[in-house]
Amino acid sequence: MRFSVLANAAFASSALAIPSLNSAIAPRQEGACLTRAEAKEIVDIYVQLIANYTDEVCAKYCASDFVDRSDSINTFIFTPLGEPTFATKEIFMAAQNANPPFPVVVDSIDAVDCEAVALRWHATFGAANLPSKGITIIGTTKREGYAQIKSLDVEFNSLIWLLNMGGNYTWEG
């Protein structure tokens, strides 16, 4: 009996010391969260940035603190894995201007959160003309009063991409 009283007292005091899950998560203001329509618009902008790039769209819809991360791309440009691929909006803009467009087709928008959109896509192009499938997590912000892309986390089948770009590889084993 004494143990149960002490145990109940211990649990009660620890519950007071630990904040609830709701208070541990930053409060969201409803106006700041993405609507489904805004999420679809952000996905359309992402596709335009990859498949039909213009500086004007990037300047408006990529946030000032934009970053792009992709170990798939890093393997092609000899950037260490885990490092930002394009650490700033300006670096991203220069890279997009220097590269050909890729025909990205969105297969599905799988999740929309307050500040993020997850999607699956494929791109079929080039020498091998094979579909390279990928996933993208788009981080967003509404600092400017409208939805902008703050971050891109992109991964895709880089071996198929390599073949599509005219490269080759030998599988040993």
Side-chain angles (χ1 to χ4, degrees):
M1 170 83 144
R2 199 183 204 177
F3 174 75
S4 66
V5 170
L6 289 174
N8 286 340
F11 286 128
S13 66
S14 67
L16 293 174
I18 300 173
S20 72
L21 183 58
N22 288 338
S23 66
I25 298 172
R28 297 177 177 168
Q29 297 184 7
E30 196 58 38
C33 286
L34 283 177
T35 65
R36 288 241 173 237
E38 288 171 324
K40 172 71 170 97
E41 180 182 344
I42 282 291
V43 168
D44 290 344
I45 291 164
Y46 167 71
V47 169
Q48 187 172 356
L49 289 171
I50 306 305
N52 192 21
Y53 178 82
T54 66
D55 282 340
E56 296 76 23
V57 169
C58 188
K60 180 175 181 179
Y61 289 106
C62 289
S64 59
D65 57 348
F66 172 87
V67 63
D68 185 339
R69 295 174 288 263
S70 173
D71 283 348
S72 298
I73 297 172
N74 286 359
T75 60
F76 292 125
I77 62 174
F78 307 106
T79 297
L81 300 180
E83 293 292 319
T85 305
F86 307 114
T88 67
K89 177 165 61 172
E90 293 74 22
I91 295 170
F92 177 79
M93 292 173 84
Q96 291 306 97
N97 277 312
N99 286 299
F102 295 103
V104 173
V105 176
V106 174
D107 297 320
S108 65
I109 298 173
D110 295 313
V112 176
D113 192 6
C114 191
E115 296 177 339
V117 180
L119 61 128
R120 288 181 289 138
W121 53 268
H122 72 273
T124 305
F125 64 94
N129 204 38
L130 296 170
S132 179
K133 294 183 178 185
I135 58 171
T136 299
I137 308 297
I138 304 172
T140 66
T141 182
K142 286 191 177 179
R143 272 192 313 253
E144 300 298 323
Y146 57 92
Q148 289 182 299
I149 298 172
K150 181 175 179 169
S151 63
L152 294 174
D153 289 276
V154 181
E155 298 303 335
F156 54 87
N157 185 329
S158 51
L159 287 179
I160 296 297
W161 201 275
L162 173 69
L163 294 175
N164 287 345
M165 292 189 311
N168 62 62
Y169 68 94
T170 303
W171 188 270
E172 296 183 25

